[in-house]
Amino acid sequence: MQESENSSTVNDSCAANALDNTIKDTLFLISRKNSDEEVKLALEKLQGLLAFSQTDNQNLTKKLHKEIRNRKLLEDKLSSSEAKLRGIIESIKDIILVVSIQDKKLSNVEILPTCASDADATTNKLINQTAELFFKQETAQFFLQQVAWALETQKSLHIDYQLQEGDYQGWFSASISPISDKSVLWVARDITQRKTAESALRESEERFRAVYEQAAVGIFMVSLYGEFIQVNPRFCDIIGYKEELLKQVSWQDITHQDDIEAELMHVRQLFANEISNYSLQKRFIRKWNKYYQEQWVNVSVSLVRNKQGMPDYFLGVVEDISPRKWTEDALRESEQRFCAIFEQASVGIYQIKLSGEFIEVNPRFCEMTGYSESELLDLTWQDITDLDDLDFCMELMSNILNHKTNVNSIHKQLIHKNGELIKLKVSISVVGNGDGTPQYFLCIAQKLLSSKVKG
């Protein structure tokens, strides 16, 4: 475009020179009083040149108007572009600096007008420090190195750095891009919230990891197809498998066959969103323990979904309840043995409250006293004890209850339903609850030979 303008200028200059020369020649001919024919020819030539010059002037005027319009369009576009750029710069919340270097030293820092000032007071102070920090001795060298590297390599550089205002610490992420041989564009963004969130997430993950690794309960993650994804050490201890082996099997493989269907029913309910979690007692099969292959556990399972709400994996917590189950089994067997003895014993056995009411009596004691079970349960031991023995019996039972005597048996007389006095040897013991608090008396009565009728 510049060459075209220069060429047009040269042509215009040549035409003007030609016209000037023609006018000078014509005037010279007239002044010399040449022939009319020569003057006429000179005038005609001059007239032609004048006509050409007029046309050329019109063309020049058109070109000038066109150039003015083009310049106006360019100025409008430039103004619009500058307005857009100014609007973009003023609307962003990052701080933008132009940093210049002279003789390997920071020479100038220009702050572009962004809306970073809309931030809160503390953050705003930190952002303003972004410019000031270049001149602080403790940080100037570091930032000088970053700017120098960007200028030397003519490549953009990204760094995160920390600033402090009182007790408050703020984090910034900067993009350093060269814009000339001596200047860079420094765009700094406040990332304090992100750093805080990352720190909180990291702490949360560390806490979860500590809980996961050191928990007194087993924790496991299972895929939607049943394979173990992750297990904690306690889970491995409970079921007797190493983690490497567990990751090669599914939960169905190590679950007692009789318990699989019940758990699958709960799993289907989780997928259908009918329940959010379930808890049940089940048996795992311990691979290496031939004595206790069935490991009773209480398992609580929930279905974890992703951000789109789709099922992702199962998370389970396992509590070892085998000792409790073994205790319950032992207690049940003990109760069964006691019931067998209680019902079939050749001696009378009865339980009475601390206040004296009968709680339970066996058939042999009913036979001894002549009362039915229901009749005895409406009475107290005092009601069927001979008055001559009553005070002594009460004193002995009080001493036994308060650990004041080692004697736990007594000879006493009970009153049979028919009025006969029955001589018995009664052994008395106190039964307490788990913390040793007395609950009731357990008595074993053996009939002695001599008896008499209460008269």
Side-chain angles (χ1 to χ4, degrees):
M1 182 175 179
Q2 185 65 38
E3 291 179 358
S4 176
E5 291 178 353
N6 292 338
S7 176
S8 176
T9 302
V10 170
N11 292 335
D12 293 343
S13 177
C14 292
N17 291 334
L19 180 60
D20 289 343
N21 292 331
T22 302
I23 292 172
K24 289 178 180 179
D25 292 341
T26 302
L27 292 175
F28 176 77
L29 289 173
I30 293 173
S31 64
R32 295 290 300 273
K33 298 181 179 181
N34 289 326
S35 65
D36 293 340
E37 187 65 27
E38 290 177 338
V39 172
K40 183 179 179 181
L41 289 174
L43 289 173
E44 288 177 354
K45 184 177 181 181
L46 178 60
Q47 186 177 4
L49 286 174
L50 288 173
F52 176 80
S53 176
Q54 184 177 4
T55 302
D56 193 48
N57 287 337
Q58 290 176 350
N59 291 335
L60 287 174
T61 302
K62 289 180 181 179
K63 288 181 180 180
L64 180 60
H65 288 164
K66 183 177 180 181
E67 183 177 348
I68 291 172
R69 286 196 302 271
N70 289 339
R71 289 181 181 275
K72 179 64 175 176
L73 288 173
L74 288 174
E75 288 174 358
D76 290 343
K77 289 182 179 180
L78 179 60
S79 177
S80 175
S81 177
E82 288 177 347
K84 290 178 181 178
L85 181 60
R86 189 182 307 109
I88 292 172
I89 291 176
E90 292 177 352
S91 65
I92 64 176
K93 294 187 177 181
D94 299 338
I95 186 166
I96 303 178
L97 313 172
V98 176
V99 183
S100 301
I101 280 186
Q102 185 72 35
D103 297 329
K104 297 183 179 181
K105 293 182 180 180
L106 293 167
S107 61
N108 185 54
V109 177
E110 179 185 356
I111 305 177
L112 300 186
T114 67
C115 70
S117 59
D118 293 340
D120 61 75
T122 302
T123 305
N124 192 30
K125 287 181 181 179
L126 289 172
I127 291 177
N128 289 335
Q129 282 191 47
T130 305
E132 297 174 6
L133 59 83
F134 289 105
F135 305 103
K136 292 182 179 179
Q137 186 174 359
E138 61 271 20
T139 55
Q141 189 60 33
F142 169 75
F143 291 108
L144 175 62
Q145 290 174 354
Q146 313 309 311
V147 173
W149 186 92
L151 291 174
E152 182 180 349
T153 61
Q154 286 295 298
K155 293 181 179 179
S156 295
L157 175 65
H158 302 277
I159 62 170
D160 290 349
Y161 60 95
Q162 191 176 26
L163 299 177
Q164 187 158 349
E165 174 64 26
D167 294 333
Y168 179 80
Q169 291 182 335
W171 277 92
F172 293 85
S173 179
S175 174
I176 308 170
S177 303
I179 55 177
S180 70
D181 293 339
K182 296 181 179 181
S183 300
V184 298
L185 195 66
W186 183 297
V187 181
R189 172 167 296 180
D190 185 358
I191 59 169
T192 304
Q193 290 185 350
R194 191 191 80 194
K195 284 288 187 179
T196 302
E198 289 174 353
S199 177
L201 177 61
R202 186 164 52 252
E203 290 177 5
S204 176
E205 289 176 344
E206 289 173 356
R207 287 195 298 270
F208 173 77
R209 175 58 55 187
V211 171
Y212 187 82
E213 295 293 338
Q214 303 172 23
V217 294
I219 304 174
F220 64 85
M221 292 170 56
V222 171
S223 74
L224 301 181
Y225 301 100
E227 297 92 349
F228 286 99
I229 301 172
Q230 195 169 357
V231 294
N232 75 334
R234 179 57 182 151
F235 183 74
C236 297
D237 293 340
I238 290 173
I239 63 173
Y241 282 77
K242 292 184 177 180
E243 182 177 357
E244 295 77 11
L245 184 58
L246 277 173
K247 290 184 177 180
Q248 300 174 20
V249 299
S250 67
W251 68 265
Q252 296 96 323
D253 295 331
I254 60 171
T255 296
H256 195 284
Q257 290 298 313
D258 295 342
D259 298 335
I260 291 179
E261 186 54 41
E263 189 157 15
L264 284 174
M265 179 188 70
H266 291 298
V267 170
R268 287 190 286 268
Q269 289 178 313
L270 285 177
F271 275 115
N273 238 350
E274 296 175 0
I275 57 174
S276 59
N277 57 75
Y278 68 83
S279 182
L280 56 80
Q281 293 183 5
K282 59 177 284 187
R283 288 162 291 180
F284 281 124
I285 305 300
R286 291 178 63 92
K287 187 176 181 64
W288 312 113
N289 195 322
K290 64 180 181 179
Y291 298 106
Y292 299 106
Q293 286 191 331
E294 296 181 3
Q295 186 75 23
W296 276 98
V297 298
N298 187 75
V299 58
S300 299
V301 178
S302 58
L303 178 60
V304 179
R305 299 177 181 271
N306 59 22
K307 292 182 179 179
Q308 290 73 38
M310 300 299 294
D312 199 1
Y313 60 88
F314 295 100
L315 179 64
V317 177
V318 171
E319 179 188 3
D320 182 10
I321 61 171
S322 288
R324 189 179 79 196
K325 279 288 185 180
W326 297 333
T327 301
E328 290 173 355
D329 291 342
L331 178 60
R332 187 165 48 251
E333 291 176 4
S334 176
E335 288 176 344
Q336 290 172 352
R337 288 194 299 270
F338 175 78
C339 288
I341 294 172
F342 189 83
E343 294 294 330
Q344 301 171 23
S346 59
V347 293
I349 304 175
Y350 59 93
Q351 298 175 19
I352 54 177
K353 294 181 181 179
L354 301 182
S355 56
E357 295 88 349
F358 285 101
I359 301 172
E360 196 170 1
V361 295
N362 76 336
R364 177 57 181 152
F365 188 71
C366 293
E367 184 183 332
M368 286 179 177
T369 60
Y371 291 93
S372 66
E373 180 181 1
S374 60
E375 290 174 328
L376 284 170
L377 295 180
D378 289 334
L379 300 172
T380 66
W381 68 267
Q382 295 95 326
D383 293 333
I384 62 171
T385 297
D386 185 25
L387 290 176
D388 294 339
D389 298 332
L390 186 58
D391 291 340
F392 178 71
C393 288
M394 292 183 68
E395 182 181 1
L396 177 63
M397 294 179 74
S398 176
N399 289 335
I400 293 173
L401 182 62
N402 295 299
H403 307 288
K404 292 183 179 180
T405 181
N406 293 325
V407 177
N408 65 347
S409 64
I410 187 176
H411 286 205
K412 60 181 290 188
Q413 293 186 113
L414 292 184
I415 304 171
H416 193 278
K417 185 178 180 180
N418 61 14
E420 180 181 354
L421 291 176
I422 309 164
K423 281 193 172 185
L424 301 174
K425 179 183 178 183
V426 180
S427 298
I428 306 168
S429 59
V430 179
V431 178
N433 59 15
D435 62 5
T437 302
Q439 297 295 299
Y440 60 86
F441 291 106
L442 178 62
C443 303
I444 298 175
Q446 184 177 1
K447 189 174 182 181
L448 300 177
L449 293 179
S450 58
S451 328
K452 63 179 180 178
V453 176
K454 179 74 173 175

